[in-house]
């Protein structure tokens, strides 16, 4: 796994050993960031269920002003911190060792530009996280929310929480669902 583009381009990233982590492949990460490229520079990025931190580090490398990394596993947090030091991006990063829903209350921003979540597949945690995000003041009509999930995961319920799906990018075994707050 490596950083695809930006200031840390081509630098290899470590992944935590022994955890049930599925790092986003370079090809899928490149596709994701091609879709987000105009929204990243100067923005605030949140990487939930960070694992190695590869997604948030990619955002920082591509010009995000600040990134929050959230994971509740100590091995993952140590790995994220090591990857941030290696890429020299730690000065713009906040690492939170908490579960995703608890960490959302620790984010002190007036607005967040992009929130990415990659919870364990088939666990249903995206519903709980989106329910919390619906109440966060930093989630505005301009905030882009992206969920990585198994290809067959149903997201038809997001409208009940006040979100609408703006894009659904399918891959062989998984997908990215892009959402925004519905305008009332």
């Amino acid at each position: 796994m490596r950083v695809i583009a930006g200031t840390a381009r081509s630098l290899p990233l470590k992944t935590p050993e022994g955890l049930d982590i599925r790092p986003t492949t370079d090809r899928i990460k490149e596709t994701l960031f091609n879709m987000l490229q105009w929204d990243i520079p100067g923005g605030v990025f949140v990487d939930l269920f960070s694992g190695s931190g590869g997604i948030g580090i990619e955002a920082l490398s591509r010009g995000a002003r600040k990134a929050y990394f959230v994971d509740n596993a100590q091995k993952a947090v140590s790995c994220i911190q090591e990857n941030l030091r290696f890429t020299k991006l730690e000065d713009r990063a906040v690492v939170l060792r908490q579960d995703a829903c608890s960490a959302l209350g620790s984010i002190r921003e007036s607005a967040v530009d992009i929130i990415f979540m990659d919870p364990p597949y088939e666990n249903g945690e995206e519903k709980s996280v989106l329910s919390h995000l619906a109440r966060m003041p930093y989630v505005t009509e301009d905030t882009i929310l992206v969920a990585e999930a198994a290809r067959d995961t149903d997201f038809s319920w997001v409208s009940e929480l006040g979100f609408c799906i703006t894009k659904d990018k399918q891959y062989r075994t998984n997908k990215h669902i892009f959402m925004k707050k519905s305008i009332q």
Side-chain angles (χ1 to χ4, degrees), residues 17 36 60 68-69 85 108 123 126 148 172:
E17 290 183 29
L36 295 172
L60 287 171
Y68 288 84
F69 297 82
R85 273 191 300 279
R108 303 284 180 239
N123 204 333
E126 50 276 318
E148 185 169 317
R172 190 169 359 131

Side-chain angles (χ1 to χ4, degrees), residues 36-136:
L36 295 172
Q37 66 184 335
W38 307 114
D39 301 296
I40 292 172
V44 176
F45 192 97
V46 176
D47 184 0
L48 300 173
F49 307 93
S50 297
S52 66
I55 298 293
I57 288 171
E58 187 73 34
L60 287 171
S61 180
R62 291 174 182 242
R65 176 174 52 83
K66 187 176 193 179
Y68 288 84
F69 297 82
V70 177
D71 206 295
N72 61 2
Q74 182 56 50
K75 282 185 180 180
V77 167
S78 296
C79 184
I80 293 164
Q81 291 168 330
E82 191 175 334
N83 283 333
L84 285 165
R85 273 191 300 279
F86 180 69
T87 56
K88 298 179 176 33
L89 295 169
E90 69 235 294
D91 61 324
R92 295 185 285 143
V94 177
V95 180
L96 301 171
R97 183 181 177 207
Q98 293 177 278
D99 72 88
C101 291
S102 298
L104 296 176
S106 301
I107 296 172
R108 303 284 180 239
E109 301 290 336
S110 57
V112 169
D113 298 282
I114 301 170
I115 300 171
F116 177 84
M117 72 174 98
D118 184 7
Y121 291 180
E122 313 299 331
N123 204 333
E125 286 191 64
E126 50 276 318
K127 200 170 224 172
S128 178
V129 171
L130 285 169
S131 174
H132 278 76
L133 283 170
R135 298 187 304 269
M136 292 298 146

